[in-house]
Amino acid sequence: MFLEFFYLLRLRGLKVSINEWMVLMDAMNQGLAHSSLLAFYHLCRCILIKTEADYDKLDSVFAEYFAGIETPEDLPEEFWKWLSEEDRERDINDKRVHENVIHELEELLEMFHERIKEQKERHDGGTYWIGTGGTSVMGRGGYNPAGIRTGGHSRHRSAVQIAGEHHYRDFRDDQVIDVRQYQMAFRKLRQYSTRVDAAKTELDIDETIDETCDNAGMLHLVYERPRKNTVKVLLLMDSDGSMLMYSDMCARLFQALRKSNHFKDLKVYYFHNCIYDHLYNNPYCKRGDWIDTEWVLKNLDEEYKVIFVGDAAMAPSELYRRGGNAFVGLFNEETGITWLDRFDKRYKKKIWLNPIQRKNWEFAYGRETIEAIGKIFPMFDLTMDGLEKGIKRLLVR
């Protein structure tokens, strides 16, 4: 059953095991898909998908395998023409309805299919047909406390089902990540934390899930001793210049780290293009509002995990020449690459996160300096996949 679909999932990079596929088939045999392609899609997401990064792959496989198949969830083309001729909307505050009957889902779907067969023309503002701006249990732009929305946008967030085009969020590995995803990635650094010799009061989510599954779905809570934060992080961020276009992305990373409570200590300093004699206390990089780089190297011990954030793109002179500092009047006696080498020798765990996607590194402005810095520090791009790999690199013992 759907054997070609299984092979296509595997061919497109989804790691679906035989056990997972058999669970899906068992769910189908029990009627959990309700003869609905949309319900089958959600079953696949629940059973076969292990990470948000694979949602887009599943959508692509569905579009490829089930192309051209008409489903009961879809309206005939003529209905979409009627609905799009004039998008009438009821006053958002007008919540009067013709009848206050709440239908069961099965009854609602049956009524929906009956209307599709019966309706022969466009309707607006009514109580029965599929139209716009009315109080019917199906349509859009109106109000019903529990109906089927046919396309459009949500106004009251009361629809129990939505008919029409499904817009699934893109979670591909190469997409820019948000604050929540940053925080989830940085949580993995807690593996460096130590367990406090105290009562087991902290919920162990992973073990709770495993034990609950082994217990036939009956909830079994598992507790662990609380952790003591021992992770120390030194964040060094490139500011201004070519980094301006990535400011939103870097701001999200900074916000996620600031909100995190997984670190014993977090130090944040800034630089412009490359590190020289001083590190700045804020992203404005104002002269005098700085700390000596030498002080940082001497006073922040080797247990700090160092995360550089920057595009590593600059003129070669900024990296290789004395006096190459881009700020006029700040002559650097030691070259930028010398300072970077000193960080490399001082700290065991360090990574460089580059907002330029990896596939563009060899073509981007500053490709020579990107390559040179990438030879000193393990470099990853600032995508979900890149950050995951970078955090794993910091976890290597």
Side-chain angles (χ1 to χ4, degrees):
M1 185 178 183
F2 291 132
L3 195 57
E4 295 87 355
F5 181 61
F6 170 73
Y7 286 127
L8 185 61
L9 289 168
R10 298 283 293 267
L11 183 64
R12 296 295 180 259
L14 284 162
K15 298 177 181 178
V16 180
S17 69
I18 296 296
N19 286 339
E20 291 165 342
W21 184 255
M22 295 307 297
V23 170
L24 177 64
M25 292 299 101
D26 185 45
M28 292 283 288
N29 290 334
Q30 294 183 42
L32 298 183
H34 306 292
S35 301
S36 163
L37 185 60
L38 182 59
F40 177 62
Y41 166 83
H42 287 296
L43 264 184
C44 290
R45 259 188 34 164
C46 291
I47 297 172
L48 306 181
I49 301 303
K50 308 174 186 67
T51 170
E52 292 173 336
D54 287 338
Y55 283 173
D56 193 53
K57 294 177 184 176
L58 178 65
D59 289 352
S60 297
V61 173
F62 253 77
E64 180 178 350
Y65 187 79
F66 294 105
I69 293 180
E70 295 184 3
T71 71
E73 294 88 8
D74 293 327
L75 282 170
E77 185 63 29
E78 60 184 336
F79 276 77
W80 294 117
K81 291 180 180 178
W82 292 336
L83 291 170
S84 62
E85 285 176 1
E86 182 183 354
D87 210 354
R88 174 176 175 178
E89 287 194 346
R90 187 184 182 91
D91 187 325
I92 192 72
N93 298 310
D94 187 354
K95 296 186 178 182
R96 294 171 298 171
V97 293
H98 177 66
E99 58 177 351
N100 291 315
V101 178
I102 304 298
H103 302 277
E104 294 292 334
L105 179 59
E106 291 76 10
E107 181 186 3
L108 196 60
L109 290 172
E110 184 178 345
M111 293 168 60
F112 183 58
H113 294 136
E114 287 177 357
R115 298 293 188 281
I116 291 176
K117 294 177 182 178
E118 296 173 358
Q119 189 164 335
K120 304 300 181 184
E121 60 184 359
R122 171 186 170 84
H123 288 272
D124 293 302
T127 62
Y128 184 84
W129 299 108
I130 301 173
T132 64
T135 60
S136 169
V137 293
M138 55 208 76
R140 73 170 183 236
Y143 175 73
N144 194 287
I148 296 177
R149 173 162 60 85
T150 52
H153 61 278
S154 177
R155 302 171 76 235
H156 300 282
R157 303 187 183 278
S158 61
V160 296
Q161 290 242 315
I162 301 171
E165 184 180 359
H166 310 296
H167 297 280
Y168 302 112
R169 184 177 176 182
D170 190 345
F171 283 102
R172 291 176 298 176
D173 290 350
D174 61 349
Q175 293 300 298
V176 174
I177 45 188
D178 59 24
V179 174
R180 176 62 177 165
Q181 291 167 307
Y182 276 127
Q183 289 178 305
M184 294 302 292
F186 286 125
R187 281 187 63 184
K188 295 184 179 180
L189 287 175
R190 291 189 68 192
Q191 294 182 31
Y192 276 105
S193 300
T194 57
R195 293 287 182 185
V196 178
D197 188 13
K200 294 184 177 182
T201 58
E202 186 177 277
L203 181 64
D204 189 326
I205 295 178
D206 291 336
E207 285 299 320
T208 295
I209 293 173
D210 290 341
E211 290 294 328
T212 300
C213 291
D214 292 341
N215 198 30
M218 295 294 291
L219 182 62
H220 185 180
L221 299 177
V222 179
Y223 291 91
E224 183 56 274
R225 293 183 178 88
R227 288 184 181 272
K228 179 182 179 181
N229 290 343
T230 59
V231 180
K232 295 185 286 188
V233 174
L234 171 59
L235 177 66
L236 302 172
M237 301 185 71
D238 189 359
S239 179
D240 206 11
S242 58
M243 286 295 293
L244 282 176
M245 69 179 70
Y246 309 113
S247 57
D248 288 344
M249 187 189 309
C250 293
R252 289 193 291 269
L253 182 144
F254 177 79
Q255 184 180 354
L257 278 168
R258 280 296 192 192
K259 287 183 176 181
S260 177
N261 59 356
H262 311 308
F263 308 131
K264 179 180 180 180
D265 189 29
L266 171 65
K267 292 286 191 292
V268 183
Y269 298 107
Y270 300 86
F271 61 93
H272 176 61
N273 286 357
C274 193
I275 291 176
Y276 303 108
D277 305 73
H278 307 101
L279 290 167
Y280 297 88
N281 293 314
N282 58 60
Y284 301 110
C285 296
K286 290 185 177 180
R287 188 174 306 194
D289 189 9
W290 57 37
I291 189 170
D292 289 342
T293 308
E294 187 68 40
W295 184 93
V296 172
L297 289 168
K298 287 182 177 179
N299 289 274
L300 302 187
D301 61 50
E302 63 181 14
E303 294 304 315
Y304 276 83
K305 297 353 178 226
V306 182
I307 302 176
F308 293 88
V309 181
D311 58 13
M314 65 196 83
S317 59
E318 295 179 72
L319 191 61
Y320 295 114
R321 290 182 57 181
R322 292 173 60 248
N325 193 327
F327 287 135
V328 176
L330 294 179
F331 187 92
N332 53 292
E333 291 289 346
E334 293 186 276
T335 63
I337 200 164
T338 300
W339 282 107
L340 296 179
D341 282 332
R342 292 178 67 183
F343 272 90
D344 179 43
K345 292 180 173 62
R346 172 61 168 160
Y347 299 101
K348 300 176 183 177
K349 304 296 179 183
K350 61 271 178 181
I351 60 173
W352 190 293
L353 299 176
N354 196 324
I356 302 175
Q357 290 194 11
R358 178 179 291 273
K359 63 183 180 182
N360 297 324
W361 288 354
E362 61 179 306
F363 308 108
Y365 164 77
R367 57 186 177 275
E368 300 92 345
T369 55
I370 294 173
E371 182 181 2
I373 293 174
K375 290 178 179 178
I376 302 174
F377 305 107
M379 187 177 287
F380 306 91
D381 49 7
L382 256 181
T383 60
M384 183 187 296
D385 185 53
L387 183 58
E388 290 276 349
K389 290 178 180 176
I391 296 299
K392 286 181 181 178
R393 185 60 178 258
L394 291 176
L395 290 172
V396 174
R397 298 188 181 276

